[in-house]
Amino acid sequence: MPAADRPDLTAAWGRVSGLAERRGQDPAQVLAVERLGHLSGVDPARIPGVLAGTAAEPPLCERVHRRFLRLRATRLDKHGREWPLCAIAEDFDAPGASLGPLNAGTGLPRLGHAAGVQRFFGVYAGFLLADAKSAVERALAATGPGSGSGGDDLEHLSYLTGITPQDIRLTLDGNPPRLPLKEQVRGRFEHLRRTRPRADGQPYSLSAIAGSFDASGQSLTRLAQGEGLPNLAAAAGIQRFYGVEGGFLLADDTEALATALAGIERELESAERSAENPMLAVMREHDVRGIVTRAGRLSPAGWRSLADHLDDLLAREGQWGRPPGPAPRRADQRAAGTGSGARGDHAGTGEGEAR
């Protein structure tokens, strides 16, 4: 996903913090950097910098190496020890030595091995590849309420996931097709080229795609012909070129569909919030529920004092004696002047994703 299209992490943090408070949970525990680090694979010491936008992104090889070490350190076996390389590699029929360069930070694993590592540890398909901002954003989303169902437009889901409508039906029924990784990755790559064309409607050439990550078009020929898998760096480059999540090529159908549905749910919630009753929006924005909950403990004299204080505030703001009007629009909404602009603002700063 392009950086410009990602939600503001600070806003996401605020939404999750507010949601935790409303549910009677301690935001410090819900948003503990150790928890976010466990979910995202980002070193907890780096998370404050990532949230502030000041943390430099390490090279892909170093990033994948760090994520792998973190998986081994935080997902231990039943004896509380790190899984040996041979046990991890055996799960996808490879020798333990094949993970030596990844463990030492001297090289990237093959794409199939990366998929196997993520499947072994039960993390999402983009865990090793995602940049820090994407990883923390996903972890913040995971701390909120669980994703639900929604969005039954199979063509739209197919566009988002690269899965055919027929296979989506099977996946929703609990019987996802099991394709060989090579066939799955080739199909997802073809889907990206077909559904994200150039301005003239033609697919981007292999050379244009590969040039975005300083490779030659020939490096993608075998992938396009269904004769092999790209290396991990090429897979990351393809996904970055098309602006899709770091696990787009690797995610199995169930995970890809769940990710798409979660995104649709956030869009629907954002749209719903932009169209809701203005008074409800004001109440939500100013946490009226929390105010009323605390005020409920007041004595009758306290209630009268609170009413007097509110009258004073209204008088100071020139609102005393006026009938309540619609909630004032924010400056960026007035500038946008359209419903879509208002929706975009809610998507970036509202609480829709954290309800």
Side-chain angles (χ1 to χ4, degrees), residues 296-317:
R297 298 195 293 268
L298 291 174
S299 65
W303 273 104
R304 287 193 296 272
S305 177
L306 177 60
D308 290 340
H309 185 59
L310 288 174
D311 290 346
D312 290 340
L313 288 176
L314 287 170
R316 262 181 270 165
E317 295 185 2

Side-chain angles (χ1 to χ4, degrees), residues 50-247:
V50 174
L51 290 167
T54 59
E57 191 64 45
L60 180 65
C61 184
E62 182 181 349
R63 182 168 79 225
V64 173
H65 166 61
R66 289 181 183 177
R67 300 277 171 84
F68 181 63
L69 294 185
R70 185 151 188 85
L71 281 176
R72 296 190 69 201
T74 59
R75 275 81 168 173
L76 306 176
D77 66 14
K78 64 181 179 181
H79 303 294
R81 296 191 292 262
E82 289 188 356
W83 288 95
L85 298 182
C86 59
I88 301 170
E90 182 182 5
D91 192 62
F92 48 90
D93 300 322
S98 64
L99 296 180
L102 170 61
N103 192 62
T106 57
L108 288 169
R110 295 167 55 185
L111 191 65
H113 292 179
V117 167
Q118 293 168 154
R119 188 169 56 248
F120 179 87
F121 284 107
V123 293
Y124 67 95
F127 188 94
L128 292 175
L129 285 177
D131 61 69
K133 187 172 183 181
S134 295
V136 172
E137 176 191 321
R138 186 172 182 125
L140 285 171
T143 64
S147 63
S149 60
D152 56 357
D153 184 340
L154 296 186
E155 291 297 333
H156 183 51
L157 288 176
S158 178
Y159 175 85
L160 293 172
T161 63
I163 308 171
T164 66
Q166 179 181 0
D167 286 346
I168 287 176
R169 291 183 188 277
L170 292 173
T171 303
L172 290 172
D173 290 338
N175 299 302
R178 301 294 182 185
L179 296 177
L181 183 63
K182 182 169 68 174
E183 184 177 343
Q184 173 190 299
V185 172
R186 179 186 61 82
R188 301 275 173 88
F189 180 56
E190 289 181 348
H191 174 83
L192 287 174
R193 295 189 69 202
R194 183 177 66 255
T195 61
R196 277 85 166 169
R198 300 180 315 203
D200 62 2
Q202 296 300 310
Y204 284 97
S205 66
L206 298 182
S207 58
I209 300 169
S212 70
F213 50 91
D214 299 323
S216 67
Q218 287 183 325
S219 65
L220 299 181
T221 300
R222 296 185 69 237
L223 168 61
Q225 295 175 347
E227 298 175 356
L229 288 168
N231 60 40
L232 204 62
I238 290 169
Q239 292 165 157
R240 188 168 56 248
F241 180 85
Y242 282 106
V244 293
E245 287 199 349

